[in-house]
Amino acid sequence: MIRDTSAPAAPAHPLPVLLPFRLTAPQRRFPPLRLTLLHALGIVGLGLLIAGGAHAQAGVNQLSAFGVIIKWFPLLMSGFLFNILISVLSMALGTVAGVGLGLASISLSTPLRRIAWGLTQFFRNAPWLVLLFFAMFMIPFEFRIFGVTIPFPDWVKAVIGFALPVMANMSEIVRGAVGSLPSGQWEAAESLAFSRRQTMWMIILPQCLKRMLPPWMNLYTLVTMATVQASIVGVTEMLTLIAQVHAAEGGRPDLLAPLYGFAMLCFFIYCYPIELWTRRLERRFHLHQ
Amino acid sequence: MAADPSVSQNEYGWTPDQPLIRLVDVHKAFGSLQVLRGVSLDVRKGEVICIIGPSGSGKSTLIRCINALIPVDSGTIRVEGQEVNDPDLDKLALRRKVGMVFQQYNLFPHRTALQNVMMAPVHVLKQNRKEVEVRARALMAKVRLQGKEDVYPGQLSGGQQQRVAIARSLAMRPDVMLFDEVTAALDPETVKEVLVTIRELAEEGMTCILVTHEMGFAREVADHVYFTDKGLIVEHGPPADFFANPKDERTKAFLGQVL
Ligand SMILES: Nc1ncnc2c1ncn2[C@@H]1O[C@H](COP(=O)(O)OP(=O)(O)OP(=O)(O)O)[C@@H](O)[C@H]1O
Ligand SMILES: [Mg+2]
């Protein structure tokens, strides 16, 4: 009655998870900085090398690769910001839906649990690009509710398309985190007459937040990098713009590497700190387990 | 309805002169494992009973059945006349009458000690937060944890955590307290501080059911001692009698080991 059937009544976990949260051993607040710099320098260096090489090959009247990037920098950045916007919105939508799905997958109602499990597995095991296509072609370009027409431009559909796998992964993150709490928390709450809903929202989920954060951030970097797939379905994000810039500059083959290298650098600069931070949180959580 | 005005009867027809808790022929199996095989016992208001017995004899299961954490297979359990083994059981009503303290404390680690104590009265009983806080602070003082109100459980010692857990249960103003080996996870030095708290409760007239391995404590505070083995109550009696001349061989063997 307290636990869901998927987590069989294990005899109350012994101490590990309840161990006092000690703030011992002064840790380095940040992971070694050297590594970050080295990585970034490496990439910039590589870019310079490619750009320099490209410059050497360039004709007299042609802009250098650098020049091209600088010339189109505002446009490319607006594209990149669009990628980030898509990633943030998909993540928000997917997180909310995923928490709902995750909670349904541990509910006491068997049909609800089955459905949630099915949805989770389905969307978790489908390629993201397929889900994106699925969203692009299944969702109408506008909705009519109470006589109000709500347009659904391509980029909104893309947001939904990316939110689907986020939802499924989030559902698993929630289920895993809830299952990892010692059963004593449920028992204590139950013996204090908390309802299941109160127990979940006031006692279980707040404790799960810490556990869910690293995998959630990890998921976010994955979504961010996946957003470039939106170019395939015609959303004008960074990769689409790069192709357009390339065409506008006469389709010079020597520009391909620098331009795409620049895109790579943008994503790297954005995602790598998140990645580092995630690892730091993970390590800290590990230390306190 | 037609209540006799001379005795105050509750909604289940229970009067305070009847046993506060009555178990009759309770059976419980986990799969093919028979854990309780016909347990009957009565606990009167203000009584302190201790349940002792070897590991795996079903003590925890027994005590968890009383507040419906575990459903029983057959038999009846009544708490102030309320039938616990009833599909339509009002669990909230039952659990506000029955407090429970666990071996592993099970405090909510994301809330401070005071918040742990206040949570259930505020959110379950919907009592006024200010009044609950006054009461919670008094309870913290009662368990000798003044000054630790704003500390998180992780920064408290085991004995301190266990006393917060006791205060948390008391905040619901239960009529009976269940203690399941509440000192078993503690260092020998901190065992005493928890036992002192429980003894004070017992002396104030709180009805208590204790599962314990502390024989000395059982002898001292219990009104009645029950010995369980393999899901049955083998022997019971007032502590003086029970410890001085145990009759059953199994009781003798067990006491010989632990004393
Ligand atoms: N939820 C459960 N599912 C299956 N078996 C269980 C469950 N809870 C307890 N048991 C089993 O029931 C038996 C009695 O357990 P119980 O915890 O009641 O014993 P106990 O007397 O409290 O022992 P201890 O002194 O070790 O705490 C044990 O064999 C235990 O493994
Ligand atoms: Mg036990």
Side-chain angles (χ1 to χ4, degrees), chain B residues 59-61 64 103 180-181 211:
Chain B
K59 307 180 299 294
S60 297
T61 307
R64 278 170 158 75
Q103 180 175 342
D180 189 2
E181 292 190 36
V211 172

Side-chain angles (χ1 to χ4, degrees), chain A residues 45-265:
Chain A
L46 196 73
L48 278 174
L49 210 73
I50 294 169
H55 187 51
Q57 294 165 18
V60 246
N61 287 334
Q62 287 175 340
L63 268 176
S64 71
F66 255 145
V68 171
I69 290 173
I70 288 166
K71 178 177 162 196
W72 297 101
F73 188 80
L75 182 72
L76 292 178
M77 274 299 111
S78 74
F80 183 60
L81 284 180
F82 197 44
N83 283 71
I84 291 175
L85 179 73
I86 293 176
S87 72
V88 169
L89 291 178
S90 322
M91 196 63 191
L93 188 62
T95 300
V96 171
V99 168
L101 195 61
L103 290 180
S105 74
I106 50 174
S107 101
L108 291 180
S109 141
T110 311
L112 190 60
R113 213 167 48 231
R114 294 249 166 85
I115 293 169
W117 183 85
L119 283 175
T120 303
Q121 296 309 319
F122 179 76
F123 287 118
R124 232 166 79 89
N125 294 297
W128 289 32
L129 189 55
V130 174
L131 291 178
L132 183 61
F133 274 114
F134 177 78
M136 294 317 274
F137 304 122
M138 299 300 284
I139 302 172
F141 66 94
E142 60 179 33
F143 267 120
R144 203 176 284 273
I145 307 172
F146 307 124
V148 184
T149 308
I150 304 167
F152 264 63
D154 276 354
W155 71 271
V156 174
K157 292 199 239 173
V159 164
I160 296 171
F162 290 121
L164 290 175
V166 171
M167 170 185 78
N169 283 285
M170 192 61 202
S171 164
E172 282 292 280
I173 292 173
V174 170
R175 205 175 65 95
V178 170
S180 72
L181 275 197
S183 59
Q185 292 290 307
W186 286 97
E187 287 190 330
E190 213 186 344
S191 67
L192 286 168
F194 283 99
S195 68
R196 194 182 154 86
R197 176 181 296 250
Q198 283 175 321
T199 306
M200 190 61 96
W201 288 98
M202 298 171 63
I203 291 153
I204 303 298
L205 289 180
Q207 293 183 59
C208 288
L209 277 184
K210 213 170 64 185
R211 287 152 204 257
M212 295 191 306
L213 198 58
W216 181 77
M217 285 164 57
N218 202 30
L219 186 58
Y220 176 66
T221 55
L222 290 178
V223 179
T224 309
M225 290 185 278
T227 52
V228 294
Q229 293 175 4
S231 65
I232 301 173
V233 292
V235 176
T236 316
E237 49 70 68
M238 188 181 208
L239 233 53
T240 316
L241 289 175
I242 281 184
Q244 288 174 5
V245 165
H246 185 239
E249 288 296 326
R252 283 157 48 195
D254 60 300
L255 284 180
L256 277 174
L259 280 174
Y260 284 100
F262 176 68
M264 221 162 79
L265 188 66

Side-chain angles (χ1 to χ4, degrees), chain B:
Chain B
M1 329 281 120
D4 180 349
S6 63
V7 255
S8 61
Q9 215 177 44
N10 76 358
E11 63 210 284
Y12 307 102
W14 176 84
T15 52
D17 57 314
Q18 294 170 4
L20 195 140
I21 290 178
R22 164 159 269 181
L23 275 69
V24 182
D25 199 28
V26 171
H27 284 77
K28 173 71 192 179
F30 290 112
S32 60
L33 181 70
Q34 295 281 328
V35 180
L36 300 179
R37 300 185 298 154
V39 174
S40 303
L41 62 83
D42 283 353
V43 185
R44 304 202 144 266
K45 191 166 162 44
E47 217 174 19
V48 176
I49 72 155
C50 283
I51 302 172
I52 63 175
S55 183
S57 59
K59 307 180 299 294
S60 297
T61 307
L62 176 65
I63 206 170
R64 278 170 158 75
C65 287
I66 296 175
N67 71 347
L69 278 182
I70 298 178
V72 301
D73 297 338
S74 66
T76 56
I77 300 178
R78 287 217 168 83
V79 177
E80 294 184 355
Q82 187 183 11
E83 176 58 71
V84 174
N85 191 16
D86 176 350
D88 302 323
L89 169 72
D90 179 357
K91 286 191 181 165
L92 190 125
L94 172 72
R95 287 178 182 147
R96 51 194 293 184
K97 289 187 295 209
V98 184
M100 180 150 187
V101 185
F102 302 86
Q103 180 175 342
Q104 298 295 349
Y105 337 128
N106 295 344
L107 290 181
F108 306 131
H110 60 302
R111 297 295 187 99
T112 64
L114 189 71
Q115 287 169 342
N116 263 276
V117 177
M118 290 176 59
M119 262 174 98
V122 170
H123 297 287
V124 175
L125 304 180
K126 315 277 183 217
Q127 291 170 346
N128 178 285
R129 182 177 281 275
K130 286 241 165 56
E131 287 163 27
V132 171
E133 183 172 341
V134 171
R135 217 165 76 221
R137 287 187 185 279
L139 281 169
M140 287 293 286
K142 182 187 169 80
V143 298
R144 300 195 176 76
L145 285 174
Q146 249 161 333
K148 299 284 185 191
E149 285 85 356
D150 299 323
V151 172
Y152 283 89
Q155 288 150 298
L156 294 171
S157 75
Q160 291 171 330
Q161 289 193 53
Q162 195 58 290
R163 282 179 284 151
V164 175
I166 293 173
R168 179 175 71 172
S169 257
L170 290 175
M172 294 288 277
R173 292 188 169 134
D175 293 339
V176 53
M177 289 283 286
L178 311 175
F179 296 91
D180 189 2
E181 292 190 36
V182 294
T183 57
L186 299 177
D187 307 329
E189 313 92 71
T190 52
V191 166
K192 226 177 91 197
E193 51 189 54
V194 173
L195 293 183
V196 165
T197 305
I198 298 175
R199 183 187 310 140
E200 283 172 2
L201 268 182
E203 281 163 2
E204 286 166 18
M206 174 64 81
T207 312
C208 296
I209 301 180
L210 291 131
V211 172
T212 183
H213 285 304
E214 303 285 334
M215 295 304 147
F217 183 69
R219 195 195 312 234
E220 213 181 302
V221 302
D223 296 310
H224 214 83
V225 180
Y226 288 81
F227 175 73
T228 59
D229 189 28
K230 302 200 174 70
L232 286 172
I233 290 175
V234 173
E235 187 168 354
H236 63 94
D241 238 31
F242 178 89
F243 288 106
N245 358 279
K247 307 216 167 38
D248 195 278
E249 286 309 315
R250 285 167 287 184
T251 322
K252 283 181 194 165
F254 179 76
L255 291 178
Q257 270 172 24
V258 298
L259 288 180

